[in-house]
Amino acid sequence: MILEAIGENPEREGLVDTPERVAKMYEEIFAGLKQDPSEFFDVIYSENHEELVLVKDIAFFSMCEHHLIPFYGKAHIAYIPQDGKVAGLSKLARAVESIAGRPQLQERITTNLADVLMEKLNPMGVLIMLEAEHMCMTMRGIKKPGTKAITTAARGIFKTNNSVRSEVLSIMRD
């Protein structure tokens, strides 16, 4: 229907299999709709560590729910464990991928990540920062390539202690 709406011939050789390819692509891109990101934290480890844990530059891709056009960037996740509860580092990246894998807003990814970590790990605090380029601003509308949106979500000590928050934001930006 989209091909017809833009004036293309869906029977043209290069387009015949396009609807099936697009359907498979959307199933892959939106796999997060069938996942619960909190499940990645069902297994946590006990470690005598109550200092900063920071994973930077986690690449992510998502689809703007307003235009169904991609946005992509990097997620930075910081938390301070409490009572020795730590997560496997790859689980943090899996949670980003899961939450981003649905029609989404960058602000919601940021908030959901922070909330899941607070709920499942009960840390002293969580700080999430996402930096992303939105193709809806690059290839349509305002057409400003290279523009990045930055969102943060702070919980616990990162919300109440400005010096701790500033220190970690500085590390995230380096």
Side-chain angles (χ1 to χ4, degrees), residues 146-159:
T147 302
K148 288 192 178 172
I150 298 175
T151 53
T152 63
R155 305 286 186 271
I157 193 169
F158 293 110
K159 190 168 188 163

Side-chain angles (χ1 to χ4, degrees), residues 8-18 21:
E8 264 291 359
N9 175 5
E11 300 304 319
R12 186 166 59 79
E13 180 182 357
L15 297 176
V16 170
D17 295 328
T18 296
R21 283 191 298 268

Side-chain angles (χ1 to χ4, degrees), residues 26-166:
Y26 278 160
E27 186 175 342
E28 180 181 342
I29 289 171
F30 296 128
L33 288 168
K34 297 177 182 175
Q35 297 173 332
D36 176 358
S38 68
E39 290 178 4
F40 295 115
F41 304 104
D42 285 346
V43 175
I44 54 175
Y45 303 100
S46 294
E47 187 62 39
N48 187 21
H49 183 82
E50 293 190 351
E51 300 290 332
L52 179 67
V53 175
L54 171 62
V55 179
K56 288 176 47 169
D57 299 330
I58 302 167
F60 75 92
F61 303 87
S62 194
M63 293 285 266
C64 166
E65 68 181 33
H66 298 140
H67 301 100
L68 291 182
I69 296 177
F71 65 97
Y72 59 93
K74 295 177 181 179
H76 314 293
I77 300 175
Y79 73 98
I80 299 177
Q82 182 167 255
D83 301 325
K85 292 182 180 179
V86 297
L89 299 177
S90 69
K91 303 305 184 194
L92 300 171
R94 290 185 189 280
V96 171
E97 187 173 89
S98 174
I99 293 170
R102 51 192 80 183
Q104 207 39 292
L105 297 175
Q106 181 175 331
E107 296 88 343
R108 188 179 308 127
I109 296 171
T110 311
T111 298
N112 287 352
L113 276 169
D115 291 344
V116 165
L117 288 172
M118 285 301 289
E119 176 187 329
K120 295 300 275 190
L121 298 179
N122 190 34
M124 288 185 235
V126 169
L127 182 60
I128 308 292
M129 182 168 80
L130 267 62
E131 306 174 67
E133 182 169 349
H134 293 247
M135 296 306 290
C136 56
M137 285 185 60
T138 297
M139 61 188 286
R140 59 156 303 279
I142 193 72
K143 296 182 182 168
K144 297 295 179 199
T147 302
K148 288 192 178 172
I150 298 175
T151 53
T152 63
R155 305 286 186 271
I157 193 169
F158 293 110
K159 190 168 188 163
T160 60
N161 187 319
N162 287 335
S163 66
V164 172
R165 178 182 172 132
S166 294

